[in-house]
Amino acid sequence: MPAIEAKGLERTFEGGIHAVAGVDLEVADGEIYAFLGPNGAGKTTCVRMLTTLLRPTAGSAQVAGFDVVADPGSVRRAIGVALQEAALDPLMTGRELIRLQATLHGLGRQAGQEKADALLERVDLVEAADRQVGTYSGGMRRRLDLASALVHEPRVLFLDEPTTGLDPVSRRTIWEEVEQLNGEGTTVFLTTQYLEEADKLANRVGIIDFGRIVAEDTPGRLKAQIGHPHLEVKLLDGGLERAEEIVRRFGNPLPSKDGAVLVELPGGASEVAPVVRALDEAGLTVEALDLVEPSLDDVFVEKTGHHLEPDEPDTGEIE
C-alpha cells in the first residue's frame, strides 16, 4: 500500500481560483518525494489537504492507508507536519514546546522529558533548549519545528518548504536530518522551490505549476528526458536580442537567464566553436561561456516555459 495516494485532488477557493486542479499522486512507503514548483503553484495547498488541514473540493486522498476526509484523526496520528510558517510560541522555551507536543500526543511526564531531551539533541538544540523561542534564528526555529513533528515517531513526514529563507549551512543541516530520518524508514513528502534540494534529496520529483503536475519521475530520468547540454553565453557589450537570433541557427534557444543567452546544442562541445565564431562575425564579443549538462532547471523550463525563481535565502542569520 502506498504511503500517500491522491486521485484527482482539487481545491478551489472563493472567486473560482483553482489552487490545485486535479493532482494524481502515489508515494511509496519509505520514499522521499519532492514537490518542486514556484510560490503559488499549489504545493502548500496540496500539503494542507493531505494533512487534513484543508478539505478537498474534489478528488480523494489516502495517507498511511487512511482517507483524509473520512478518517482525518487516524491520518493525524500517523503523520508529522512541519509547515512553512511554524506556529511556535516565542515566549516558551524549546524544551517546553517539545514537552507540550509530547503531552498532546499522550506521552507521560517522564516519557515526554526523555523524548524532548533526545529530540533536542538530535536537532542540535541542547544548548538553546532553555532559551525562549523568540530568541532563535530562522534555522533554529525550523529545526525545533522538525523536532516537534517527530515526537510521536510518525510514519509519514510532511515538510513544507523546510529550508526557504535559510542560509546554506542551515539548509544543509536540515538536508542531513531528512536523509537520516528517511534512512530510518520514515516516508518524507517535501515541497520545495530549490532545484538543488529536490535533486539531492528526492527519490522522485513532481514538478507542479499552476496547480497541475506537469512532470514526475526520478531526478536522473527527468534530466535524461531533456537529453542535450546547453550553452550559456554572456556578452561584453549587450546585444542580447541579436545574439538570440544568431544562436537559433545552432540549436533550440532557451529563455535567457541572468543576462546570458541560452541554446541547446545536440552535438555538445563540438558545436561551441561555431557559435562563438558566428557571434564574433556579427560584432558581438563573448565575455564568458559555459557548457552545462541537463539539470532540473532545464526540465522545469521544458515543462513550464519559464525558469524557477526561488526566494533569496537570508544569509544574515547567526545561530
Side-chain angles (χ1 to χ4, degrees), residues 8-277:
L9 201 61
E10 297 184 17
R11 177 66 196 195
T12 302
F13 290 103
E14 188 175 351
I17 299 172
H18 296 288
V20 176
V23 163
D24 295 327
L25 277 174
E26 187 171 306
V27 179
D29 192 40
E31 186 174 24
I32 299 180
Y33 184 95
F35 232 6
L36 177 66
N39 286 332
K43 304 188 304 295
T44 295
T45 302
C46 273
V47 167
R48 289 184 176 275
M49 287 190 286
L50 293 172
T51 58
T52 77
L53 297 175
L54 192 63
R55 191 180 182 92
T57 305
S60 63
Q62 292 80 39
V63 177
F66 305 107
D67 190 280
V68 298
V69 174
D71 197 358
S74 295
V75 172
R76 291 173 193 146
R77 285 188 290 273
I79 65 174
V81 184
L83 298 177
Q84 188 175 353
E85 296 297 332
L88 302 175
D89 187 337
L91 299 180
M92 295 181 72
T93 68
R95 192 184 307 278
E96 288 170 342
L97 276 166
I98 299 294
R99 287 182 177 177
L100 175 60
Q101 284 295 315
T103 299
L104 293 174
H105 284 289
L107 274 69
R109 181 180 180 85
Q110 183 61 33
Q113 290 177 352
E114 292 174 356
K115 177 66 71 172
D117 291 343
L119 287 173
L120 288 165
E121 183 175 358
R122 174 162 195 160
V123 297
D124 195 24
L125 287 176
V126 173
E127 292 184 4
D130 297 308
R131 282 168 42 191
Q132 290 183 325
V133 173
T135 68
Y136 284 18
S137 70
M140 294 168 73
R141 288 193 295 272
R142 291 291 174 85
R143 300 205 304 273
L144 180 63
D145 193 35
L146 177 58
S148 298
L150 299 176
V151 164
H152 59 305
E153 300 179 5
R155 294 166 54 189
V156 183
L157 178 63
F158 288 89
L159 303 176
D160 186 22
E161 300 199 16
T163 65
T164 295
L166 299 188
D167 62 273
V169 174
S170 296
R171 188 174 298 160
R172 284 193 297 271
T173 300
I174 296 292
W175 290 355
E176 290 169 1
E177 185 58 36
V178 169
E179 290 177 323
Q180 183 177 339
L181 285 165
N182 182 247
E184 296 167 358
T186 305
T187 302
V188 180
F189 185 101
L190 67 91
T191 72
T192 183
Q193 53 180 316
Y194 295 120
L195 296 157
E196 182 187 5
E197 185 160 273
D199 204 357
K200 175 175 173 55
L201 292 179
N203 303 119
R204 285 191 305 131
V205 174
I207 295 176
I208 184 169
D209 200 37
F210 295 107
R212 298 182 183 275
I213 296 179
V214 297
E216 183 184 58
D217 213 325
T218 68
R221 284 200 286 264
L222 285 172
K223 288 182 282 188
Q225 291 174 16
I226 303 302
H228 304 309
H230 71 262
L231 184 66
E232 296 185 3
V233 182
K234 286 194 174 182
L235 303 172
L236 189 61
D237 302 313
L240 191 64
E241 291 184 4
R242 176 62 178 145
E244 288 175 341
E245 292 176 7
I246 292 169
V247 300
R248 287 176 186 274
R249 307 174 198 163
F250 301 93
N252 179 40
L254 300 173
S256 59
K257 181 180 180 182
D258 299 328
V261 177
L262 277 62
V263 60
E264 281 187 342
L265 296 180
S270 65
E271 297 185 4
V272 173
V275 173
V276 175
R277 280 198 299 271

